[in-house]
Amino acid sequence: MKKNIFYLIIGFVALALLAIFWYSVETFTPVLSMIAFVIGVVVIYVAYRRVDDFIEDERSARITEKAALRTFQVFWVCFCAFSIMAVMNLLYMPHLSRELRFDRQSMPLSVEIMSPRMIGYVQLGLLCLMIFLYVGFRFYYARKYGEWETDEE
């Protein structure tokens, strides 16, 4: 198995764990998420043992370095933007006009764009997205720097 396939497996295991975590929270069964986590680690370990192209040379190290850097650069922007929106959602204070200040009956108690629970799920989903971003950048830089070309002269 190739490294990129292994990284994709990690991403899909993370997505499956996210879905199982969501289900276990909704059904109040925390044991399910703990068992799923252990099974996920075992699946990743078995997949890791089957990877056959972990040959590290200068080009491979450069591709890994560039992919990790670009993943970080893109991901922190997405995660920071979402986190700012989440904090603003949690701290939202409605701006009231002068007409509504004295009319307490028509004033909403709170306005939520997203519930705190959903904010947590989206943040976990963004962490799963980070894995797929890394794989995408590895594909891009492997093609750019020619990792899949033969070096035999």
Side-chain angles (χ1 to χ4, degrees), residues 7-21 40 44 124-125 127-129 131-132:
Y7 295 135
L8 284 174
I9 289 172
I10 290 174
F12 286 119
V13 166
L15 283 176
L17 286 175
L18 177 63
I20 292 169
F21 177 74
I44 290 172
L124 288 173
L127 289 174
C128 293
L129 170 72
I131 297 168
F132 291 108

Side-chain angles (χ1 to χ4, degrees), residues 32-153:
L32 180 64
S33 62
M34 288 186 266
I35 291 171
F37 180 76
V38 171
I39 291 172
V41 169
V42 169
V43 166
I44 290 172
Y45 177 75
V46 168
Y48 176 78
R49 301 295 291 163
R50 294 179 186 217
V51 174
D52 54 11
D53 69 340
F54 271 129
I55 300 169
E56 194 69 27
D57 58 356
E58 292 85 17
R59 182 178 4 180
S60 177
R62 175 92 170 139
I63 290 168
T64 301
E65 172 189 324
K66 294 285 272 185
L69 179 65
R70 292 297 179 251
T71 300
F72 178 71
Q73 288 173 338
V74 170
F75 180 73
W76 82 263
V77 171
C78 296
F79 195 76
C80 186
F82 178 78
S83 296
I84 289 170
M85 187 275 309
V87 168
M88 293 303 291
N89 181 39
L90 293 173
L91 300 177
Y92 180 76
M93 299 298 276
H95 179 71
L96 302 175
S97 65
R98 289 184 181 258
E99 297 84 39
L100 291 176
R101 285 194 184 161
F102 300 107
D103 186 14
R104 300 260 181 198
Q105 299 298 329
S106 65
M107 187 172 67
L109 293 177
S110 70
V111 177
E112 278 189 355
I113 297 171
M114 212 181 264
S115 70
R117 177 182 283 184
M118 189 53 118
I119 290 170
Y121 291 146
V122 171
Q123 285 181 338
L124 288 173
L126 285 173
L127 289 174
C128 293
L129 170 72
M130 186 172 69
I131 297 168
F132 291 108
L133 269 173
Y134 178 74
V135 171
F137 281 122
R138 275 200 56 81
F139 277 129
Y140 173 76
Y141 285 112
R143 185 175 302 249
K144 182 177 179 179
Y145 292 118
E147 183 179 55
W148 294 309
E149 298 171 1
T150 58
D151 285 338
E152 297 178 20
E153 297 175 357

